[in-house]
Amino acid sequence: MEPEGSLSPVAALVIGYLTGRAAGVHPTELGQVLGLSRRTVGEALDELLTGGWVIRSEEEIRPGQAASPATRQQPGTRGALEYERWQRQTLATIVPSEPVPGADLQVRRGQAAVREELGSLYLSAATEVLSVTPRPLVQTRSDERNQRALALIRRTEVTFPRRGVNGVWLSHTDHLRNPANRDVLHRTLLAGERLHSAPNIVTRLVIVDRKVAVVPLDPERHDAGALVLRAPDVIDGLLAMFHGMVEGARRLHADAFVSPLERRVLHLLAGGAKDEAIARELAVSARTVRRIISGLLVRSGAESRFQLALHALQVGWLTADDVTRELTWRRAPHREGPAGRLP
């Protein structure tokens, strides 16, 4: 059933963004990320506060009781925070002393060196690779050494299933909102790997064969380098934290990814277009549009188109930018026909 007091498109956009976050945000961040003016954000928040969709405390906005159940803190949040705390404490103790490389601890400086280490570990992996990937923090460096190391990692990852290596990947929800990253994740899934997604991932972690772990030197700059750890007791602790992060994360299946046509239908639906208008825009029949929407409702578990739009924002079928562009285009004073508008 539709919630009482149907939300405006901008309010739905705001609550959709909030449900994909593990922590509250400042109103200014909403405006910056969603490309909305301060006045527009204020009007949307007033609407959401009145309906109980959000709560506000000390300038922080969080989803309220009326929002989707997905807004409740996931169990994996505890594991993610424990790992971040452990990482910062460990790095504060170890890194300044510049330890002499040994069997249990080595330091790899720079993005390329870390990728080369991961490529070597992936090649030697015999049973299992566990990987945590947070929200993207740095751009990939374009120098030849970095590209060569990244290519080795990509080539090696796809060999895991036929080598009998069990791959378990935990990725920040934001990776599903980026087309290039989404394609990589989809290929990983189709290769037979286990893929999970959560909005509470804070920093990188890789564990290979339960014997060696790679931990970033700087949680906020993954290009700075990493620690390569082999101490059994440390690995045991990291394994417990990894499984704590996976707990409560959403396991992805092939139907977690939408086709270009389905994505375009969602764009238009989130922008307020009716079935007939969507059909004209995409040069298909209204019956085809209704069939696509019906299939998406089933896959998402949503009970209404409103819930479907929120689900699409939460899981990365749509991004906040997608919806903002659609709304802006539809409000433009000199709207042209559909030619040339397909992404």
Side-chain angles (χ1 to χ4, degrees), residues 243-269:
H243 292 297
M245 285 186 271
V246 170
E247 179 189 2
R250 187 172 69 99
R251 183 165 180 181
L252 300 179
H253 301 279
D255 61 2
F257 298 83
V258 292
S259 69
L261 179 59
E262 290 171 326
R263 184 176 174 82
R264 190 71 187 108
V265 168
L266 286 168
H267 279 197
L268 296 166
L269 186 66

Short mmCIF file of all heavy atoms in Angstrom, two decimals, residues 243-269:
data_model
loop_
_atom_site.label_atom_id
_atom_site.label_comp_id
_atom_site.label_asym_id
_atom_site.label_seq_id
_atom_site.Cartn_x
_atom_site.Cartn_y
_atom_site.Cartn_z
N HIS A 243 33.50 -11.73 9.01
CA HIS A 243 32.20 -12.40 9.07
C HIS A 243 31.18 -11.54 9.81
O HIS A 243 29.98 -11.61 9.52
CB HIS A 243 32.34 -13.78 9.71
CG HIS A 243 33.10 -14.75 8.86
ND1 HIS A 243 32.65 -15.16 7.62
CD2 HIS A 243 34.30 -15.37 9.04
CE1 HIS A 243 33.52 -16.00 7.08
NE2 HIS A 243 34.52 -16.14 7.93
N GLY A 244 31.66 -10.69 10.73
CA GLY A 244 30.76 -9.74 11.37
C GLY A 244 30.23 -8.71 10.39
O GLY A 244 29.07 -8.29 10.48
N MET A 245 31.08 -8.30 9.44
CA MET A 245 30.64 -7.34 8.42
C MET A 245 29.67 -7.97 7.44
O MET A 245 28.70 -7.35 6.99
CB MET A 245 31.85 -6.76 7.69
CG MET A 245 32.63 -5.74 8.49
SD MET A 245 33.97 -4.95 7.54
CE MET A 245 35.31 -6.09 7.87
N VAL A 246 29.93 -9.24 7.08
CA VAL A 246 29.06 -9.93 6.13
C VAL A 246 27.68 -10.17 6.73
O VAL A 246 26.66 -10.14 6.03
CB VAL A 246 29.69 -11.27 5.68
CG1 VAL A 246 28.70 -12.10 4.88
CG2 VAL A 246 30.93 -10.99 4.83
N GLU A 247 27.63 -10.38 8.06
CA GLU A 247 26.36 -10.60 8.73
C GLU A 247 25.45 -9.39 8.51
O GLU A 247 25.80 -8.26 8.81
CB GLU A 247 26.57 -10.81 10.24
CG GLU A 247 25.28 -11.02 11.02
CD GLU A 247 25.50 -11.01 12.52
OE1 GLU A 247 26.65 -10.79 12.93
OE2 GLU A 247 24.52 -11.20 13.25
N GLY A 248 24.30 -9.63 8.00
CA GLY A 248 23.36 -8.54 7.76
C GLY A 248 23.51 -7.86 6.42
O GLY A 248 22.63 -7.10 6.02
N ALA A 249 24.63 -8.10 5.72
CA ALA A 249 24.79 -7.51 4.38
C ALA A 249 23.86 -8.22 3.41
O ALA A 249 23.50 -9.39 3.60
CB ALA A 249 26.24 -7.64 3.92
N ARG A 250 23.49 -7.52 2.38
CA ARG A 250 22.57 -8.10 1.39
C ARG A 250 23.36 -8.93 0.39
O ARG A 250 24.26 -8.43 -0.27
CB ARG A 250 21.81 -6.98 0.65
CG ARG A 250 20.71 -7.48 -0.27
CD ARG A 250 19.91 -6.32 -0.79
NE ARG A 250 20.67 -5.49 -1.71
CZ ARG A 250 20.59 -5.57 -3.03
NH1 ARG A 250 19.79 -6.44 -3.59
NH2 ARG A 250 21.30 -4.76 -3.80
N ARG A 251 23.02 -10.23 0.29
CA ARG A 251 23.68 -11.05 -0.72
C ARG A 251 23.05 -10.78 -2.07
O ARG A 251 21.82 -10.82 -2.23
CB ARG A 251 23.56 -12.54 -0.37
CG ARG A 251 24.32 -13.40 -1.38
CD ARG A 251 24.53 -14.81 -0.91
NE ARG A 251 25.26 -15.56 -1.93
CZ ARG A 251 25.59 -16.84 -1.82
NH1 ARG A 251 25.25 -17.51 -0.73
NH2 ARG A 251 26.26 -17.46 -2.77
N LEU A 252 23.90 -10.52 -3.05
CA LEU A 252 23.41 -10.18 -4.38
C LEU A 252 23.31 -11.41 -5.26
O LEU A 252 24.12 -12.33 -5.17
CB LEU A 252 24.35 -9.17 -5.04
CG LEU A 252 24.52 -7.83 -4.30
CD1 LEU A 252 25.49 -6.94 -5.05
CD2 LEU A 252 23.18 -7.14 -4.11
N HIS A 253 22.31 -11.42 -6.10
CA HIS A 253 22.12 -12.46 -7.09
C HIS A 253 22.02 -11.80 -8.47
O HIS A 253 22.04 -10.57 -8.58
CB HIS A 253 20.87 -13.28 -6.77
CG HIS A 253 20.92 -13.93 -5.43
ND1 HIS A 253 21.59 -15.11 -5.19
CD2 HIS A 253 20.40 -13.56 -4.23
CE1 HIS A 253 21.50 -15.44 -3.92
NE2 HIS A 253 20.77 -14.51 -3.31
N ALA A 254 21.92 -12.60 -9.50
CA ALA A 254 21.92 -12.05 -10.85
C ALA A 254 20.80 -11.03 -11.05
O ALA A 254 20.97 -10.05 -11.79
CB ALA A 254 21.80 -13.18 -11.88
N ASP A 255 19.66 -11.23 -10.39
CA ASP A 255 18.55 -10.30 -10.59
C ASP A 255 18.72 -9.00 -9.81
O ASP A 255 17.84 -8.14 -9.81
CB ASP A 255 17.21 -10.95 -10.25
CG ASP A 255 17.13 -11.38 -8.78
OD1 ASP A 255 18.10 -11.13 -8.05
OD2 ASP A 255 16.10 -11.94 -8.40
N ALA A 256 19.87 -8.85 -9.12
CA ALA A 256 20.15 -7.58 -8.46
C ALA A 256 20.60 -6.52 -9.45
O ALA A 256 20.74 -5.35 -9.10
CB ALA A 256 21.22 -7.77 -7.38
N PHE A 257 20.83 -6.91 -10.70
CA PHE A 257 21.30 -5.99 -11.72
C PHE A 257 20.22 -5.82 -12.78
O PHE A 257 19.57 -6.80 -13.17
CB PHE A 257 22.59 -6.51 -12.36
CG PHE A 257 23.72 -6.63 -11.37
CD1 PHE A 257 23.84 -7.74 -10.56
CD2 PHE A 257 24.64 -5.60 -11.23
CE1 PHE A 257 24.86 -7.85 -9.63
CE2 PHE A 257 25.67 -5.70 -10.30
CZ PHE A 257 25.78 -6.82 -9.51
N VAL A 258 20.02 -4.62 -13.22
CA VAL A 258 18.98 -4.34 -14.20
C VAL A 258 19.59 -4.10 -15.58
O VAL A 258 20.73 -3.65 -15.70
CB VAL A 258 18.13 -3.13 -13.79
CG1 VAL A 258 17.31 -3.44 -12.57
CG2 VAL A 258 19.01 -1.90 -13.55
N SER A 259 18.80 -4.39 -16.61
CA SER A 259 19.23 -4.16 -17.99
C SER A 259 19.14 -2.68 -18.31
O SER A 259 18.48 -1.92 -17.60
CB SER A 259 18.33 -4.95 -18.95
OG SER A 259 17.04 -4.38 -18.97
N PRO A 260 19.80 -2.23 -19.39
CA PRO A 260 19.69 -0.81 -19.78
C PRO A 260 18.25 -0.35 -19.98
O PRO A 260 17.89 0.76 -19.60
CB PRO A 260 20.49 -0.76 -21.09
CG PRO A 260 21.50 -1.87 -20.96
CD PRO A 260 20.77 -2.96 -20.23
N LEU A 261 17.41 -1.22 -20.57
CA LEU A 261 16.01 -0.83 -20.79
C LEU A 261 15.27 -0.71 -19.45
O LEU A 261 14.50 0.25 -19.24
CB LEU A 261 15.31 -1.85 -21.69
CG LEU A 261 13.82 -1.58 -21.98
CD1 LEU A 261 13.64 -0.22 -22.64
CD2 LEU A 261 13.24 -2.69 -22.84
N GLU A 262 15.50 -1.66 -18.55
CA GLU A 262 14.86 -1.59 -17.24
C GLU A 262 15.32 -0.34 -16.49
O GLU A 262 14.51 0.34 -15.83
CB GLU A 262 15.19 -2.83 -16.43
CG GLU A 262 14.54 -4.11 -16.93
CD GLU A 262 15.06 -5.34 -16.23
OE1 GLU A 262 16.27 -5.36 -15.88
OE2 GLU A 262 14.28 -6.29 -16.04
N ARG A 263 16.59 -0.04 -16.60
CA ARG A 263 17.13 1.14 -15.93
C ARG A 263 16.49 2.41 -16.48
O ARG A 263 16.15 3.33 -15.73
CB ARG A 263 18.64 1.18 -16.11
CG ARG A 263 19.33 2.32 -15.36
CD ARG A 263 20.84 2.19 -15.53
NE ARG A 263 21.55 3.31 -14.96
CZ ARG A 263 21.85 3.43 -13.68
NH1 ARG A 263 21.49 2.51 -12.83
NH2 ARG A 263 22.48 4.49 -13.23
N ARG A 264 16.27 2.46 -17.79
CA ARG A 264 15.66 3.65 -18.40
C ARG A 264 14.21 3.79 -17.96
O ARG A 264 13.72 4.90 -17.71
CB ARG A 264 15.75 3.54 -19.93
CG ARG A 264 15.36 4.82 -20.64
CD ARG A 264 16.44 5.89 -20.44
NE ARG A 264 15.96 7.16 -20.98
CZ ARG A 264 15.60 8.19 -20.22
NH1 ARG A 264 15.67 8.10 -18.91
NH2 ARG A 264 15.19 9.31 -20.77
N VAL A 265 13.50 2.67 -17.86
CA VAL A 265 12.12 2.71 -17.36
C VAL A 265 12.10 3.26 -15.94
O VAL A 265 11.25 4.10 -15.59
CB VAL A 265 11.48 1.30 -17.40
CG1 VAL A 265 10.17 1.28 -16.61
CG2 VAL A 265 11.24 0.87 -18.84
N LEU A 266 13.05 2.83 -15.11
CA LEU A 266 13.12 3.33 -13.73
C LEU A 266 13.42 4.82 -13.70
O LEU A 266 12.87 5.55 -12.87
CB LEU A 266 14.19 2.55 -12.96
CG LEU A 266 13.83 1.12 -12.56
CD1 LEU A 266 15.05 0.37 -12.06
CD2 LEU A 266 12.74 1.12 -11.48
N HIS A 267 14.31 5.28 -14.60
CA HIS A 267 14.61 6.71 -14.70
C HIS A 267 13.32 7.49 -14.86
O HIS A 267 13.04 8.45 -14.14
CB HIS A 267 15.48 6.99 -15.93
CG HIS A 267 16.93 6.73 -15.73
ND1 HIS A 267 17.89 7.24 -16.58
CD2 HIS A 267 17.60 6.02 -14.81
CE1 HIS A 267 19.08 6.84 -16.18
NE2 HIS A 267 18.93 6.10 -15.10
N LEU A 268 12.54 7.09 -15.87
CA LEU A 268 11.33 7.82 -16.23
C LEU A 268 10.26 7.69 -15.16
O LEU A 268 9.55 8.65 -14.85
CB LEU A 268 10.82 7.32 -17.58
CG LEU A 268 11.78 7.57 -18.76
CD1 LEU A 268 11.37 6.75 -19.97
CD2 LEU A 268 11.82 9.05 -19.11
N LEU A 269 10.15 6.50 -14.57
CA LEU A 269 9.18 6.27 -13.52
C LEU A 269 9.48 7.16 -12.31
O LEU A 269 8.58 7.76 -11.73
CB LEU A 269 9.21 4.79 -13.11
CG LEU A 269 8.15 4.33 -12.10
CD1 LEU A 269 6.77 4.42 -12.72
CD2 LEU A 269 8.45 2.89 -11.66
#
